[in-house]
């Protein structure tokens, strides 16, 4: 009996959901300031991975062997029908595929309660006009990459209809689909997507190299990844989950893995909730952040465009223009957004991290370069810990409200370093919209609360800008504002310092918003050259404009 090595499912799942602490404090550990970093949840992960998802073993002696040979195949099982270069699997079981199919297709058309496992063991399958593997009917299909094997699937550049389904991927499944194993798989989609499941897409292991004209990996109801190594080059999104019919679906969960993604759309995108518990991410979108020229107080342009002007355009963009606009964010979720750990290097045209709902970052190491905001949240943003290096961005961290419990932040921004403001910007799920950069407005729900952490911010706009209250209960803030008419600290509501160590180059910690003629109405210009007349640690309260 041949079995591929594996860890028992329960042990493996436990390991996947235990967060490592490489380079930063993982959730459940204690931060440098003594704060216990607790795990956050946006998705119920308990039932995402079945035992069989996590167990890629198979019995080679009882598996049905399918030998691929040029423009045909050989198999002696009654469950397999071979029609020229099309191989049709009609019953539950384990099928071992090897050899080369130069222009053909594997079709799974089994019973609605059947589970079918396809083991790729040195398989090379190309379809010039359709999917290389088409899962039409089954309860669930598993594609297992046999240990120490290299496999390849490709489409030739067109998709010709063979039934009522819109087949548009190299692996196309109308069923739940699981990819597992320890071998490697190369997918080339000259047209369409790399992998599509019209239900749930689960990946628990393997090494994947995907080049696709559209999305790399796509799951309609959900995408759940327990681990694996991924190198994805995509003409649209790298990893995509979207169900336009049900807003509770379209979720995306990553427990671990290594991800290198270059996407012309978003690198990672979920229309529903998103949760990342670990992994290493090297993400690049469009032509990168350097393709966007940043100026303070400016407008978001299209790819490579200048963000200049500071005023909204005379005409409102049409619905057609908004639809045609490409979103090029690093990691995006329209629902709740949670990160518990991981190492992230993101260089994106648009926001590096973007949440349409509440966003919580418990821990992680982040190096973020953005042509817009490094971190943007349309709702409440909470950062419990983590290390953030943000060398290039329009605004560093932006949300309706911002709460920082702890962490290390090194931000260089063209506009504000931290910005809390009401409303939503023009860079949501549909991508950039050519309107004024910051359409947030003063709002009673807006505030910035800093309870700890080490923040070093150099900005052309305000270093810290709240359209509501600004409260500093702890931490160390080293703020340099280099923009005329802006201030290191600026707030429209009450300013309170209950013990934070705040140093600025313009003295604005004494009266936020007044030193540079900002919202508070003052007229004094900020002091330059890094001179730091202001340092404040005592409790201070001053409403803006007084």
């Amino acid at each position: 009996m041949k079995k591929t090595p594996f860890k028992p499912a329960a042990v493996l799942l436990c390991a996947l959901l235990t967060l490592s602490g490489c380079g930063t404090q993982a959730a459940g550990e204690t931060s440098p300031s003594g704060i216990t970093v607790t795990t956050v949840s946006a998705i119920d992960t308990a039932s995402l991975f079945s035992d069989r998802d996590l167990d890629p073993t198979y019995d080679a002696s009882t598996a049905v062997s399918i030998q691929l040979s040029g423009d045909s195949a050989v198999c002696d099982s009654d469950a397999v029908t071979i029609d020229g270069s099309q191989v049709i699997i009609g019953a539950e079981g384990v099928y071992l595929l090897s050899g080369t199919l130069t222009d053909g297709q594997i079709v799974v058309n089994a019973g609605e309660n059947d589970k079918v496992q396809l083991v790729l063991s040195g398989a090379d399958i190309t379809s010039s006009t359709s999917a290389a593997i088409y899962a039409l009917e089954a309860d669930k299909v598993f594609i297992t990459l046999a240990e120490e094997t290299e496999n390849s699937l490709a489409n030739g550049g067109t998709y010709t209809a063979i039934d009522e389904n819109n087949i548009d991927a190299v692996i196309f499944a109308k069923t739940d689909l699981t990819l597992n194993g320890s071998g490697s798989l190369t997918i080339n989609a000259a047209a369409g997507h790399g992998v599509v499941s019209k239900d749930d897409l689960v990946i628990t292991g393997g090494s994947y190299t995907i080049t696709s004209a559209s999305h790399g990996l796509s799951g309609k109801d959900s995408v759940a990844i327990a681990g694996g190594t991924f190198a994805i080059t995509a003409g649209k999104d790298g990893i995509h989950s979207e169900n336009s019919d049900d807003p509770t679906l379209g979720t995306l969960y990553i427990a671990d893995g290594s991800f290198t993604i270059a996407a012309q759309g978003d690198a990672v995108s979920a229309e529903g909730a998103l949760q990342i518990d670990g992994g290493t991410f090297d993400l690049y979108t469009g032509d990168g952040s350097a393709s966007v020229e940043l100026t303070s107080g400016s407008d978001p342009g299209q790819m490579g465009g200048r963000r200049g002007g500071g005023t909204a355009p005379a005409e409102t963009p049409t619905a057609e223009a908004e639809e045609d606009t490409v979103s090029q964010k690093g990691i995006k979720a329209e629902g709740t957004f949670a990160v518990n750990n991981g190492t992230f290097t993101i260089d994106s045209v648009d926001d590096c991290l973007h949440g349409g709902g509440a966003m919580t970052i418990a821990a992680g190491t982040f190096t973020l370069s953005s042509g817009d905001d490094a971190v943007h949240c349309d709702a409440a943003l909470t950062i419990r810990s983590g290390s953030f290096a943000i060398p290039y961005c329009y605004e560093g961290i932006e949300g309706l409200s911002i709460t920082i419990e702890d962490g290390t932040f090194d931000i260089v921004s063209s506009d504000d370093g931290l910005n809390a403001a009401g409303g939503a910007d023009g860079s949501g799920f549909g991508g950039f919209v050519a309107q004024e950069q910051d359409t947030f407005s003063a709002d009673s729900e807006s505030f910035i609360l800093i309870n700890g952490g080490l923040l070093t911010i150099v900005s052309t706009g305000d270093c810290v800008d709240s359209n509501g209250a600004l409260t500093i209960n702890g931490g160390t803030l080293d703020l340099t504002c280099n923009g005329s008419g802006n201030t290191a600290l600026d707030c429209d509501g009450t300013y309170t310092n209950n013990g934070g160590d705040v140093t600025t180059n313009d003295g604005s910690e004494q009266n936020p918003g007044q030193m540079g003629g900002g919202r508070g109405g003052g007229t004094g210009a900020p002091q330059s050259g890094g001179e730091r007349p202001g340092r404040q640690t005592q409790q201070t309260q001053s409403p803006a404009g007084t």
Side-chain angles (χ1 to χ4, degrees):
M1 180 181 290
K2 177 180 178 181
K3 288 182 175 288
T4 57
F6 73 104
K7 297 180 181 180
V11 175
L12 179 57
L13 181 58
C14 180
L16 290 169
L17 301 179
T18 300
L19 305 175
S20 63
C22 299
T24 188
Q25 280 62 50
E29 295 183 357
T30 303
S31 73
S33 298
I35 296 173
T36 300
V37 181
T38 55
T39 301
V40 295
S41 178
I43 297 172
D44 181 3
T45 63
S47 60
L48 288 181
F49 306 109
S50 70
D51 287 348
R52 190 165 180 182
D53 289 334
L54 296 164
D55 178 3
T57 61
Y58 60 94
D59 186 347
S61 66
T62 60
V64 176
S65 175
I66 301 175
Q67 181 64 44
L68 308 175
S69 179
D71 58 359
S72 188
V74 176
C75 181
D76 59 7
S77 171
D78 292 338
V80 177
T81 301
I82 299 174
D83 183 6
S85 61
Q86 189 178 65
V87 179
I88 303 171
I89 296 171
E92 179 166 315
V94 178
Y95 300 84
L96 182 61
L97 292 86
S98 59
T100 299
L101 195 59
T102 54
D103 186 9
Q105 183 179 59
I106 309 299
V107 178
V108 177
N109 190 12
E112 63 180 10
N113 295 318
D114 290 348
K115 291 180 171 57
V116 176
Q117 183 177 9
L118 306 180
V119 179
L120 302 186
S121 180
D124 186 343
I125 305 170
T126 298
S127 174
S128 62
T129 59
S130 191
I133 296 178
Y134 175 28
L136 171 61
E137 182 70 45
D139 175 54
K140 192 171 191 176
V141 173
F142 302 83
I143 298 178
T144 299
L145 307 180
E147 181 184 10
E148 296 182 354
T149 66
E150 297 180 359
N151 304 277
S152 179
L153 304 174
N155 165 265
T158 61
Y159 291 92
T160 301
I162 60 175
D163 56 23
E164 70 278 6
N165 295 314
N166 181 29
I167 300 172
D168 60 356
V170 172
I171 300 176
F172 184 86
K174 293 287 291 181
T175 66
D176 289 335
L177 176 65
T178 293
L179 307 181
N180 61 16
S182 59
S184 68
L185 176 60
T186 298
I187 296 176
N188 287 298
H193 314 294
V195 179
V196 167
S197 170
K198 291 300 183 180
D199 287 312
D200 297 321
L201 174 60
V202 171
I203 304 174
T204 64
S207 177
Y208 302 87
T209 301
I210 301 173
T211 303
S212 61
S214 294
H215 303 320
L217 299 170
S218 179
K220 182 177 181 180
D221 290 349
S222 70
V223 175
I225 299 175
T229 301
F230 303 84
I232 301 174
T233 301
K236 290 186 177 179
D237 297 347
I239 303 175
H240 179 90
S241 183
E242 177 180 3
N243 186 322
S244 57
D245 300 322
D246 188 342
T248 66
L249 300 176
T251 60
L252 200 156
Y253 173 67
I254 298 174
D256 202 356
S258 174
F259 303 84
T260 301
I261 300 176
Q264 292 305 309
D266 302 318
V268 178
S269 175
E271 191 175 14
L274 178 146
Q275 181 174 329
I276 297 174
D277 285 347
T280 301
F281 300 81
D282 189 350
L283 311 179
Y284 188 88
T285 71
D287 292 325
S289 59
S291 67
V292 182
E293 184 179 350
L294 302 178
T295 58
S296 181
S298 54
D299 303 341
Q302 302 301 323
M303 288 185 295
R306 177 182 176 85
R307 293 177 177 275
T311 58
E315 297 183 6
T316 301
T318 64
E320 183 178 354
E322 292 187 20
E323 191 173 304
D324 291 341
T325 302
V326 176
S327 174
Q328 295 182 307
K329 298 175 176 63
I331 302 175
K332 177 180 70 179
E334 276 300 280
T336 306
F337 189 124
V339 175
N340 283 307
N341 205 12
T343 300
F344 303 83
T345 302
I346 304 177
D347 188 348
S348 57
V349 172
D350 200 345
D351 303 338
C352 292
L353 305 178
H354 179 98
M359 178 188 292
T360 303
I361 299 173
T365 300
F366 303 84
T367 302
L368 310 176
S369 297
S370 171
D372 196 356
D373 304 333
V375 181
H376 176 94
C377 179
D378 288 346
L381 168 61
T382 301
I383 299 176
R384 295 180 178 173
S385 187
S387 173
F388 296 81
I390 304 175
Y392 188 87
C393 65
Y394 180 75
E395 291 190 320
I397 298 173
E398 181 176 58
L400 172 60
S401 65
I402 299 173
T403 300
I404 296 175
E405 300 291 349
D406 201 1
T408 302
F409 304 82
D410 191 347
I411 301 172
V412 178
S413 63
S414 174
D415 201 63
D416 299 338
L418 306 182
N419 181 33
D425 78 352
S427 55
F429 200 77
F432 270 143
V433 178
Q435 63 186 35
E436 188 172 352
Q437 165 65 27
D438 182 7
T439 58
F440 279 161
S441 58
D443 192 292
S444 60
E445 297 181 32
S446 297
F447 62 84
I448 293 178
L449 171 62
I450 299 173
N451 292 320
L454 175 61
L455 294 87
T456 303
I457 301 175
V458 178
S459 68
T460 304
D462 303 318
C463 294
V464 179
D465 183 1
S466 174
N467 280 16
L470 170 59
T471 303
I472 302 173
N473 290 324
T476 300
L477 286 74
D478 185 357
L479 311 177
T480 302
C481 175
N482 291 324
S484 177
N486 295 303
T487 58
L489 292 177
D490 188 8
C491 68
D492 284 357
T494 300
Y495 169 62
T496 305
N497 186 345
N498 292 318
D501 186 354
V502 181
T503 304
T504 72
N505 69 326
D506 61 6
S508 57
E509 70 274 26
Q510 302 299 328
N511 197 6
Q514 306 305 300
M515 302 301 295
R519 291 186 178 91
T523 58
Q527 299 186 34
S528 60
E531 296 178 12
R532 302 199 147 330
R535 182 183 184 116
Q536 180 205 44
T537 57
Q538 74 277 13
Q539 178 172 325
T540 303
Q541 291 188 336
S542 61
T546 61

